[in-house]
Each structure stands twice: as C-alpha cells, then as structure tokens.
Amino acid sequence: MQLIEITEKRTKKLFHKVPHLIYKDDPNWACPLEGMVESIFEPQKNPSFKRGEAIRWVLLGADGNPVGRIAAFYNLDKAKIFEQPTGGCGFFECVDNQEAANMLFDAARDWLKSKGMEAMDGPVNFGENYMNWGLLADGYIPQGFGMPYNPPYYVQLFENYGFQVYFKQFSYHLDTTLPELPDRFWKVAEWVAKKPQFSFKHFSWKEKEKFIDDFAYIYDSAWRFHEHFKPIDKDDLKDFIYTAKSLIEEEFIWFAYHEGEPIAVFVMMPDFNQILAKLNGRITMWNLPKVMWLKWRKTMTRTRSLIIGIVPRYQRSGIEAAMFWHLRPVMYRKPWFTEMELSWAGDFNPKIVALYESVGGKRMKTHYTMRYLFDRNKPFTRAPIISPEQAKKS
C-alpha cells in the first residue's frame, strides 16, 4: 500500500473518491458537499490556519485504487489548553483493514509529532465542534447535516490502534407530530417569555454583526468555567454563517436577553442532508434546478439544532423554555418539519443532557471523541464532568 499526500487536483479527486467506495451500498449516508470539505483545507477560507496547519493523505491499495484517507491538523490556541499539546485527525475513511487504518493513523501521528504535538483527538474537525466531529458508535440511521456518519467497524479500527474515548456525544430526536409537551411546560415558557426584563429576537441578516457578537458573548460566558475553555473565534463563526447562508432560516435562530444583555442562544437549521443524499456530493449548474425543486417540494422534513448556550446564572430561569415558546409558532407555520434533532450533548455536561430529555428528546445516536496519547506509558485521563458547582462560578 502507498500513502500519497494531497497536493493537487488529481489527488484531491482521489480524496473525495474514497467515501463513495466505502458507502456505495449504504442508503443512510449523505455525501457531504465536496466544496464545503475543500474549504476546510484552504487557508484563505478557514480561520484555523491563522495559528495552525493541516495536511491530507490518501492510501492506495496494491491495485492502485484508493482504500483510505485521513487529514491531520493542529491549532496552537486549542492545542495548548490541554496537559499535553493535542492536535487532531479527521475526515477518516477506510476499508475494513486494520493494517490500512494503522498506516493512516501513523501518518497523522508522525506529522503531528513533528509539529510538537503529544496527542491527537479523532475523528474531529479543523474548526469548531458543531460540524464534522465524532465517531458514530450507536445509531446507524440517517445523520443530521454536519454530523458524521461511518460504518460500525470504524470503532474497532480506532480502538485497536490505541485510541480511547475522551468523551461521548449524544444526539436526541424530537418527533414534532406527537402530542405536545405538557401544558405546564408551555405555561412556564409563556410566563418567562413575557417577563419584562427578558426580550427575545431571532437572527436577522440585516443585523448579522450584532448577532455574531452576541453569539460569541453567550458562548464564551457559558463555557468559561470549563477546564479546557477556549474563546470562540469570531472569524470561524462568520465563515460558517456565510458558508451555510443558503440553509439558514432566520426564525430558526433565537437569542434571549436580560435587560439588553445577551444570555442565551438556540441555533437550528433545516437538515440539508435530506437533499445532499440525492446530489452525490456536488451542486452544479446542471443539478441546481433539482436542488431548488427539492426545497420547493419540502424534501427537508427534519431540523438539526447545532447549539444551545445559556449563561450559567440563567440556566435555572426557564429561559430555554421561553425560546421554545417563541419557536413554537414558527414550527406551526412550517408543518412539513416533523422531526427535530438536538445535537450534540456531551456526556461531560449533564445539564444539557437533562435539558434535551426534559423537552421530550429521545436519545438516538452516540458519537465518540477519541484521544490517542503518543507516550503510550502516560496515564489516560477522560474529559472531566462539569459539576453544578463549576457552572455557578461563572
């Protein structure tokens, strides 16, 4: 077998060919847009390159056909928040062959070592964690937009190499066609929503800069107490918003304020995977009419929540229920959306797990974020659980 670094058009084509070989008979897979994947590896489009680097390889079998691929990357700002500098590997695809997988993991490990890293997480994204993050370990059903999908045997490939679970990520599904949440929930939600000190606004492109600032403020406030906190990069956020502009529905993104100060955010998007499954990885001038027709035909019947963030001192105020109260009439106007995916909740954050379960979500999928320590004699430590006491410190 032969490893080839991705450097030009021909090798990029090989990189994108691998998943088509892996999932050719899997109806649950939706091919990500090649352009969106490529943008992750373009310094002019991905702000993570400001303090980092990335590299990709494809693995060819004895017959010259691709059998696997992987990317490795690091961001110095994020790498150094851990006890050992930690990079990442991702966009991993491979046939069911441990030798092939090991060659790919070795390439990522050795490159990261040469850059001063002492561990690697995988499979993860070269950017924020609400996209392309985690190894599917349970719930082999169609995934929400941006949520990774892989064959079951991938877990064994990672574990056999020596990766261990750093934390688990749970996704919950809410069937919006079932009887609604209890009246008590909506009474509390309305009561909080109408308190004069609180106000609520949905995202608007006309005020996008203000909402980006508000999102960053809420995100940083909500996660500042975490042991490995790293402020969000606004450029990363802007890049995602503009990349996904055609998918964003303004009334699916809600902000809450206390006397004008941003305190909570809920971000949801239509599940574009339901269209991507029919496009084979590309939007071209030839299939763009098909995309528009599929949107018009209401092909997207699911939504995916990317994030819910609440400043800790308001987490017991009912503010999340109030945001759902404002979202409720929006969903009434769009009855073709019959399912909501709430993803993802880390097992290190029991508050978010409890929130998703309290609104009626059913746990449907589990992803793993896995870590490999380069020093094989070093004790492995799992991600710490966030306690209520930690959250109150914020």
Side-chain angles (χ1 to χ4, degrees):
M1 291 184 283
Q2 179 187 9
L3 268 174
I4 298 177
E5 184 181 343
I6 307 302
T7 57
E8 35 74 37
K9 187 174 182 180
R10 182 186 69 86
T11 50
K12 287 178 182 178
K13 285 184 176 180
L14 288 173
F15 187 83
H16 292 293
K17 183 178 180 181
V18 177
H20 290 277
L21 300 175
I22 301 294
Y23 302 103
K24 62 181 179 180
D25 298 318
D26 192 337
N28 289 327
W29 180 63
C31 182
L33 286 175
E34 292 180 10
M36 290 189 72
V37 174
E38 280 301 312
S39 68
I40 293 169
F41 299 99
E42 296 178 14
Q44 67 272 28
K45 294 184 179 180
N46 186 348
S48 294
F49 279 98
K50 289 186 296 186
R51 293 276 288 159
E53 295 180 81
I55 189 172
R56 290 182 284 171
W57 299 271
V58 66
L59 181 64
L60 303 182
D63 60 359
N65 289 318
V67 296
R69 73 178 196 183
I70 199 169
F73 32 79
Y74 68 90
N75 178 317
L76 289 176
D77 291 334
K78 296 179 179 179
K80 293 183 177 180
I81 64 176
F82 299 103
E83 179 184 348
Q84 64 287 313
T86 302
C89 65
F91 302 91
F92 172 86
E93 303 288 0
C94 189
V95 297
D96 191 2
N97 181 299
Q98 192 67 51
E99 180 186 359
N102 289 353
M103 288 184 67
L104 293 166
F105 293 140
D106 283 349
R109 177 201 62 194
D110 294 345
W111 183 81
L112 288 168
K113 266 188 180 181
S114 74
K115 301 298 180 179
M117 300 296 110
E118 298 175 12
M120 64 180 173
D121 288 346
V124 297
N125 188 32
F126 189 37
E128 294 302 329
N129 63 15
Y130 39 76
M131 297 286 284
N132 307 308
W133 198 285
L135 181 71
L136 183 63
D138 179 61
Y140 294 93
I141 57 179
Q143 306 293 296
F145 178 67
M147 288 299 291
Y149 180 83
N150 55 261
Y153 67 81
Y154 277 24
V155 175
Q156 202 68 44
L157 295 180
F158 274 79
E159 290 180 341
N160 286 346
Y161 186 75
F163 281 90
Q164 294 174 268
V165 176
Y166 187 58
F167 60 79
K168 296 180 181 180
Q169 307 150 229
F170 304 130
S171 293
Y172 292 81
H173 284 214
L174 187 63
D175 186 344
T176 59
T177 66
L178 294 176
E180 291 205 32
L181 294 168
D183 286 342
R184 182 179 177 279
F185 176 91
W186 292 117
K187 286 179 180 178
V188 171
E190 184 176 8
W191 177 66
V192 175
K194 291 184 176 180
K195 283 186 174 183
Q197 66 267 39
F198 293 131
S199 58
F200 302 83
K201 293 180 71 175
H202 64 73
F203 176 81
S204 166
W205 285 105
K206 293 180 180 179
E207 299 180 86
K208 59 182 180 298
E209 296 298 331
K210 167 184 165 45
F211 286 120
I212 288 171
D213 288 342
D214 290 348
F215 182 101
Y217 178 85
I218 295 164
Y219 183 96
D220 291 349
S221 300
W223 290 97
R224 191 172 300 279
F225 60 84
H226 194 273
E227 180 182 359
H228 300 307
F229 168 74
K230 170 69 176 66
I232 195 168
D233 188 324
K234 288 185 184 179
D235 287 337
D236 269 339
L237 186 57
K238 290 178 181 178
D239 177 68
F240 172 75
I241 287 175
Y242 286 112
T243 299
K245 184 173 183 179
S246 63
L247 299 177
I248 289 176
E249 298 211 16
E250 294 179 330
E251 291 182 303
F252 280 4
I253 302 174
W254 281 89
F255 290 81
Y257 300 84
H258 178 260
E259 297 181 348
E261 177 185 346
I263 61 171
V265 62
F266 177 76
V267 180
M268 185 171 73
M269 294 177 63
D271 187 359
F272 193 53
N273 272 8
Q274 291 179 291
I275 289 179
L276 286 182
K278 306 175 189 300
L279 298 184
N280 209 32
R282 293 182 181 180
I283 295 180
T284 67
M285 62 178 295
W286 306 110
N287 65 13
L288 184 58
K290 180 179 181 180
V291 174
M292 303 306 296
W293 182 77
L294 289 169
K295 289 181 70 174
W296 178 78
R297 286 291 304 270
K298 309 294 190 292
T299 300
M300 293 183 286
T301 60
R302 287 194 304 265
T303 63
R304 181 201 161 195
S305 72
L306 275 70
I307 191 169
I308 182 167
I310 305 171
V311 174
R313 64 180 177 274
Y314 296 99
Q315 287 180 358
R316 296 183 183 276
S317 66
I319 204 72
E320 70 282 354
M323 287 194 293
F324 273 89
W325 188 81
H326 281 279
L327 183 63
R328 190 186 191 190
V330 176
M331 302 309 289
Y332 281 156
R333 295 198 303 273
K334 302 174 185 288
W336 57 91
F337 289 111
T338 59
E339 184 180 9
M340 184 184 298
E341 178 177 309
L342 305 170
S343 59
W344 47 264
D347 67 352
F348 55 82
N349 194 344
K351 277 191 174 183
I352 295 297
V353 170
L355 171 61
Y356 286 171
E357 292 178 350
S358 72
V359 298
K362 305 297 182 185
R363 188 183 298 180
M364 298 293 288
K365 303 164 189 169
T366 301
H367 288 77
Y368 293 163
T369 293
M370 308 192 80
R371 176 163 291 181
Y372 180 87
L373 302 179
F374 298 162
D375 181 351
R376 303 309 295 155
N377 294 316
K378 188 179 178 106
F380 179 84
T381 304
R382 216 172 176 279
I385 302 296
I386 298 173
S387 68
E389 291 72 26
Q390 284 176 299
K392 288 177 183 176
K393 293 178 183 177
S394 177

